Amino acid sequence: TRQEDPTLRRLKRVVTPLPAPKMMDLPQFQGEHKESLYWGTYRPHVYLGIRARTPRSLISGLMWIGIKNGQYFLRHVCQDSDELSTYGWRDHNGRDYGHQLIVDQGFSFITSFLKEKKEGSAYGGDWAVRLDLQNTRSDLHKAEDGTVHFFFYVADEEGNTLGVQRQKFESRDATLLAFGTRNDIGGWELHLDSQKHLDTHFAGFKTIHMHNLTELVQGTLAFHARRTGQLQLPDTIEDSSNVIVTQISTTLPAKFDIAFISGTNMKGARADERINGLTGAMLSTRLEEKQKEFEDKYIKCFNLKDKTDSDPMLVGRAAIGNLLGGVGYFYGQSKIALPEGFTQENGDKFISYWPAALFTAVPSRSFFPRGFLWDEGFHQLIIGRWDVHLSMDIIGHWLDLINIDGWIPREQILGAEALSKVPAEFVLQYPTNGNPPTLFLVLRDLLNGIKMRKFSAQETKEVTDFLNRAYIRLNTWFQWFNSTQSGKDGHTFYWHGRDNTTTKELNPKTLTSGLDDYPRASHPNDEEHHLDLRCWMLLAADCMNSIAELLKVEDSVAEDYHRMSKQLSDFRKLNQIHLDNGSGAYFDFGLHAEKVRLRWHQVKSQDNVQKELVRETLETPQLKLVPHLGYVSLFPFMMGIIPPESPVLQKQLELISNRSTLWTDYGVRSLSRTSSLYMKRNTEHDPPYWRGPIWINMNYMILSALHHYSQEDGPYKTTAEKIYGDLRSNLIRNIVRNYYETGFLWEQYDQKNKGKGKGARPFTGWTSLVLLMMAETYPSLRR
Ligand code: 6A9
């Protein structure tokens, strides 16, 4: 690799942070705010895991042994294959309190989390975990003697040596399990307290591979069991152990508390007092208070009094609980793909992004326990209403990931633990790939919050400061889209990077749009115009224009935003490019052939013959509107661009409410039944994803627009109102029913098959928007 190589220079830019003041350096994110968010359940990929918001933290977590068909399995990382009946936070305030229900085969338990700062605590305070175990079946664990085994570990990512001392002090009931010292919090201790006798054992390990803890404990248990016949940790520790695992074995029912206290090496540490406060009766009282507080805030915040009956209420609560309980802190470096044909001297095909922290919600704790850019905008619509400071902290982290070119990697795989959950082919991020700028939906909410005086004076100041600092970052982000995703004609856009050489895909995917296999022009080229991107650009331009107004920016860039938001919302122009007068629907434009199909072909490679699915195009592709009716068609409607009095609006309402196109009893389909690619596989291995099933983020946007048009005067007001009511109750009913039947919220819902949940579960990312549907809270549409 030579210095002067222009490709190399471009690459260096890709991994260069935007040289602007960091969001997270804002005063509002320092001091008490930062300390109050130090410890938390920030390891969403494990059933219960606690860490601090620091790159190399003391981490802790829970494992237990589950039995299936007479075989033992160690539960730790959230895995679909564990087949738990349910798990997830029922309550969680995103800060210092949570209540999770876990139901395994034959028994269930509650994990409660509580954090507090008391006199004597070090930075970030102390915390406690309570485990409350119940029998759910009488034949439980008959294979054995009815004993259940739990494992609670602490591990120091900095590698500091930990001590283990199973000693009961005279002055207190709790047992000291482990202790250590760190720079951030000084001395710390972990204590166990229970009314009932618990059988405890331990093991200590020295390792830096935190993503292998399951294997470590499993291996040790198996090894020891072979030698002694006992399912027990060996009560030994390796030299300089930085991981201590405590095994807690008991019969059901049982209840025990684990208390973590910091600053124990300081004068006036009041350790006994703090342990007592975080265990037993005192902990019970605190948890009850916190639960009440959560309930009250939940009802008030989402306006739920008299809104819905009790079943949906509980589901809404589980939705926000798990969304907040699923917020994670990640630290590491994204891997950025090198251009075709390039490799580093060491053979790597990637270059590393700068080491960065991300505080973010996650779409799914088992399948996708990491940050996704466009998912996050939807998550923040909910979190922003719950706790605006928490939300700004999360958005701030995301905006600090922007590089000098204005790009933000779409999927954030930071650190070894996150990496261990991702198949190799999905790891690399491409600096040419975008993803919808949904964060503008939230920013617009913040702006409106200021305009409508929803915030206190202090909050107004903080939100304004936040937007002020964000402005340059958002501006660069916007310019990235505006320059790299623009189309041939003025003010047109398309998602760049679709594969126009593939012969295997029925319709080349558009992962960047977030709608993956949603059908677009069959033959990608630079003459495409993507309707959804055009609408996202309008949202972004409009929002930038409003921020510029609020901040009183009056330069030429601000004028550009003003002009651009006018141009992109120009109804006539939109219709010229995207409206199909025949059907009254909006479509993408591009080089397209409807007559395509996948056929088996024989391919000879050297000495063997293989069969392969290959695409055949049976007509000459032409530049035209791409007649696939579905979510993309509804974007102008979702964004409120269509004037309320226009017959075009009537047409959209017809398409939405028509059963032979988009309407089902469970929500609006992603793709119309009339589309030639409806429910078609894209390749041999790619089943239909955005080609029929019901997705909740888009349904929420559709519902928002229906709500909007049911408020605006016009000839279609009552029609909009009727459809709004029907769609809202269909969505809520189906999501709630599925939750009660399966124990989970799902990634998608089947448009047939009784609206059954499909894909990843639990999916408490944007499916949690069901709560805002119950609350009838929608993002303000422009206009
Ligand atoms: C696969 C496989 C254990 C796909 O919710 C996250 C994203 C959305 O942003 C996108 O719009 N999901 C949607 O079409 C999931 C993407 C998962 C990609 C990585 C790894 C792991 O299997």
Side-chain angles (χ1 to χ4, degrees), residues 363 367-368 370 372 374-375 411 423 426 514 516 689-690 763 766:
F367 284 81
F368 324 121
R370 51 188 174 275
F372 286 82
W374 90 301
D375 295 61
E411 183 175 346
F426 294 107
D516 299 18
Y689 198 36
W690 293 84
F763 192 95
W766 59 46

Side-chain angles (χ1 to χ4, degrees), residues 285-528:
T285 312
R286 291 293 291 131
L287 287 172
E288 272 161 33
E289 283 166 15
K290 281 285 172 187
Q291 173 152 24
K292 182 82 184 50
E293 211 176 87
F294 176 85
E295 258 168 38
D296 292 349
K297 182 168 175 183
Y298 170 63
I299 304 238
K300 193 167 154 245
C301 189
F302 299 107
N303 225 347
L304 291 171
K305 241 196 165 87
D306 334 306
K307 264 249 152 86
T308 40
D309 30 308
S310 63
D311 282 4
M313 284 278 278
L314 283 175
V315 178
R317 189 164 162 172
I320 179 120
N322 206 58
L323 179 64
L324 287 165
V327 169
Y329 174 91
F330 305 91
Y331 190 88
Q333 293 173 272
S334 290
K335 296 184 178 185
I336 314 300
L338 297 179
E340 251 330 279
F342 275 77
T343 26
Q344 299 247 48
E345 272 156 11
N346 62 7
D348 283 350
K349 293 219 179 301
F350 65 87
I351 183 168
S352 294
Y353 220 50
W354 64 89
L358 180 62
F359 189 51
T360 184
V362 303
S364 165
R365 287 175 57 195
S366 52
F367 284 81
F368 324 121
R370 51 188 174 275
F372 286 82
L373 183 54
W374 90 301
D375 295 61
E376 205 49 35
F378 293 106
H379 301 161
Q380 294 315 313
L381 287 175
I382 308 169
I383 297 181
R385 291 192 167 85
W386 175 260
D387 184 334
V388 72
H389 297 103
L390 191 69
S391 189
M392 284 193 286
D393 190 305
I394 291 173
I395 301 168
H397 273 93
W398 274 99
L399 293 181
D400 279 347
L401 292 174
I402 203 164
N403 77 2
I404 193 168
D405 293 327
W407 176 67
I408 305 178
R410 168 169 55 132
E411 183 175 346
Q412 295 286 330
I413 308 163
L414 305 177
E417 282 193 272
L419 193 60
S420 68
K421 275 273 189 171
V422 188
E425 70 264 35
F426 294 107
V427 169
L428 299 190
Q429 300 297 305
Y430 293 81
T432 43
N433 286 359
N435 204 209
T438 53
L439 289 175
F440 281 110
L441 289 171
V442 197
L443 296 171
R444 196 172 53 183
D445 262 13
L446 288 177
L447 276 165
N448 280 318
I450 293 183
K451 272 195 213 150
M452 325 245 306
R453 302 182 185 280
K454 276 203 308 211
F455 297 125
S456 68
Q458 175 65 20
E459 279 170 347
T460 302
K461 183 185 177 303
E462 287 176 4
V463 173
T464 312
D465 289 351
F466 181 87
L467 293 171
N468 195 15
R469 182 159 294 191
Y471 188 73
I472 174 166
R473 291 179 177 273
L474 297 172
N475 186 35
T476 319
W477 198 29
F478 184 93
Q479 298 309 336
W480 183 88
F481 279 101
N482 200 20
S483 57
T484 69
Q485 307 295 302
S486 59
K488 258 187 156 175
D489 308 328
H491 298 296
T492 65
F493 298 91
Y494 70 97
W495 295 107
H496 287 229
R498 294 183 68 211
D499 186 348
N500 60 6
T501 60
T502 173
T503 54
K504 309 228 165 88
E505 293 175 71
L506 184 56
N507 185 280
K509 282 206 291 255
T510 319
L511 291 171
T512 47
S513 71
L515 308 174
D516 299 18
D517 64 341
Y518 184 97
R520 310 282 183 161
S522 60
H523 290 67
N525 71 5
D526 61 2
E527 293 185 276
E528 272 184 84

